[in-house]
Amino acid sequence: MEITCINCPMGCRMRVEVEDGRVVSVSGNACGRGSLYARQECVDPRRTVTAVIPLEGGASPLSVKTSAPIPKRLIAQCMSELAEVKLSAPVQMGSVVLENVCGTGIDVVATKSVGKVII
């Protein structure tokens, strides 16, 4: 299979050979990071999920992200779980917004601080 590495701006086109669910060879990468990426991507693709969720009483919506990449197949479920989150301002950057998303052991955290709107 052919994939494009996304670890740096070079965008190496790599050829990956997979047999019985195992990567047996990677070629076309300019660095070791490309090889690691290809091995992960072809066996267990993962993504960091970013989103914006409403924040009651906040000066703006709250941007959030997973603290580590989650399996790609769980992205829709992650977004569904985030849609159920109800928060009120203030929220501090780094605060855990959703623990153990999709049973992965990975948390969703706030990526910025949002204060409460004072009227």
Side-chain angles (χ1 to χ4, degrees), residues 31-82:
C31 69
R33 290 187 306 168
S35 178
L36 292 173
Y37 169 77
R39 291 173 187 285
Q40 178 73 46
E41 184 68 11
C42 291
V43 177
D44 181 24
R46 292 175 172 262
R47 300 291 184 271
T48 297
V49 175
T50 61
V52 176
I53 59 175
L55 186 60
E56 185 177 319
S60 65
L62 181 65
S63 61
V64 298
K65 72 172 193 164
T66 53
S67 59
I70 64 170
K72 190 176 174 182
R73 63 184 165 71
L74 296 177
I75 291 173
Q77 182 181 341
C78 174
M79 295 303 290
S80 292
E81 288 185 20
L82 282 171

Side-chain angles (χ1 to χ4, degrees), residues 89-110:
V91 175
Q92 296 299 310
M93 180 172 59
S95 297
V96 174
V97 171
L98 179 61
E99 292 182 347
N100 191 25
V101 67
C102 304
T104 61
I106 296 169
D107 297 332
V108 176
V109 297

